[in-house]
């Protein structure tokens, strides 16, 4: 993500060329296999799909999501921080932890949004202008039920030829989630006019609103 500190013109050109193909998003079929609704206890999901600013911003506008926190997951190191993860040395991916009300939105529906508008699941170790394993696409499952739903949805989308290229999203167990530094939290809401957000991330939220109006809420979920 250090690339976003390149000169503004270079960053804008790089981001525009990379983001243009995915700006519109794609409405995907609902998951055939899903976690049954009914529990009134909050549930948690963890996703990685490039820079966590945009993924956080998308899920903050999903109805039923109560909070979203940017952080790091998927690495072998016993700790994570922005500098180490940005160097690609820890094995972590920039990720988001989504806390949601399963009576309002299901795990499968969150996956639908994730694959549809939050990122491009066919890009290997990159999203937009950001390149490296720390920007890989991944679903980190917390239990066997989440694993079953995520793997089934990838298989469903693959069988339906939902994308023109192979889905490379990892479905892998969640070992730990390390919250990112405070200045990364709630970033899109607090910095809506920065070039990186305008070019790469705002179109994702607009795609959510357009493709899934029944899931979109204009209110921001609590960033914590």
């Amino acid at each position: 993500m250090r690339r976003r500190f390149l000169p503004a013109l270079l960053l804008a050109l790089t981001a525009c060329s990379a983001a243009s193909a995915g700006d519109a998003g794609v409405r995907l079929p609902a998951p055939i296999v899903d976690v049954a609704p009914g529990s009134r206890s909050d549930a948690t999901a963890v996703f990685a799909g490039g820079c966590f600013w945009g993924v956080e911003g998308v899920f903050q506008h999903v109805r039923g999501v109560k909070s979203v926190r940017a952080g790091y997951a998927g690495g072998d190191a016993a700790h994570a921080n922005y500098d180490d993860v940005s160097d690609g040395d820890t094995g972590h991916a920039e990720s988001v932890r989504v806390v949601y009300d399963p009576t309002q939105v299901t795990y499968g529906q969150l996956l639908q949004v994730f694959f549809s508008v939050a990122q491009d699941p066919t890009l290997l170790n990159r999203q937009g202008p950001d390149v490296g394993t720390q920007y890989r696409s991944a679903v980190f499952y917390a239990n066997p039920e989440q694993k079953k739903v995520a793997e089934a949805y990838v298989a469903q989308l693959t069988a339906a030829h939902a994308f023109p290229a192979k889905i490379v999203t990892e479905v892998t167990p969640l070992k730990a989630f390390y919250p990112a530094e405070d200045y990364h939290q709630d970033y899109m809401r607090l910095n809506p006019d920065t070039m990186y957000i305008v070019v790469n991330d705002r179109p994702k939220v607009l795609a959510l609103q357009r493709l899934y109006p029944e899931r979109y809420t204009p209110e921001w979920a609590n960033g914590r």
Side-chain angles (χ1 to χ4, degrees):
M1 207 158 39
R2 288 175 176 172
R3 286 177 184 78
R4 64 176 59 107
F5 301 116
L6 290 172
L9 178 59
L10 176 60
L11 176 59
L13 293 174
T14 303
C16 282
S17 62
S20 59
D23 283 353
V26 56
R27 186 174 174 98
L28 297 174
I32 296 173
V33 179
D34 202 349
V35 177
S39 172
R40 295 189 176 276
S41 299
D42 290 347
T44 301
V46 177
F47 305 107
C51 174
F52 41 31
W53 295 346
V55 184
E56 177 193 53
V58 167
F59 282 110
Q60 283 182 317
H61 281 289
V62 174
R63 192 178 308 277
V65 168
K66 302 180 75 171
S67 69
V68 188
R69 189 149 176 82
Y72 313 104
D76 294 326
H79 67 282
N81 59 68
Y82 177 67
D83 287 338
D84 290 342
V85 172
S86 293
D87 287 337
D89 297 332
T90 69
H92 292 91
E94 291 196 9
S95 308
V96 298
R97 182 177 63 199
V98 180
V99 177
Y100 63 99
D101 179 351
T103 67
Q104 296 188 49
V105 62
T106 68
Y107 183 68
Q109 289 167 345
L110 294 178
L111 286 170
Q112 187 180 25
V113 168
F114 173 68
F115 280 98
S116 180
V117 300
Q119 46 103 47
D120 184 338
T122 69
L123 297 180
L124 183 63
N125 297 330
R126 65 166 298 174
Q127 291 290 325
D130 299 314
V131 179
T133 58
Q134 63 271 36
Y135 304 111
R136 65 188 182 272
S137 173
V139 175
F140 296 101
Y141 61 84
N143 53 55
E145 190 172 31
Q146 288 187 351
K147 179 177 185 287
K148 177 182 177 181
V149 174
E151 289 181 341
Y153 196 47
V154 170
Q156 177 185 340
L157 296 178
T158 300
H161 303 288
F163 297 97
K166 179 182 178 181
I167 294 173
V168 297
T169 304
E170 300 176 359
V171 179
T172 188
L174 178 65
K175 299 176 183 178
F177 179 87
Y178 300 94
E181 295 78 2
D182 285 346
Y183 63 89
H184 287 302
Q185 307 300 333
D186 215 13
Y187 194 89
M188 187 186 297
R189 185 181 69 81
L190 297 174
N191 303 274
D193 297 323
T194 60
M195 180 68 72
Y196 187 94
I197 294 297
V198 170
V199 172
N200 293 285
D201 295 334
R202 185 180 296 169
K204 299 176 182 180
V205 176
L206 295 176
L208 171 67
Q209 182 180 16
R210 184 180 67 256
L211 296 172
Y212 301 101
E214 73 280 8
R215 303 239 168 84
Y216 173 82
T217 175
E219 302 298 324
W220 290 87
N222 184 339
R224 300 302 183 191

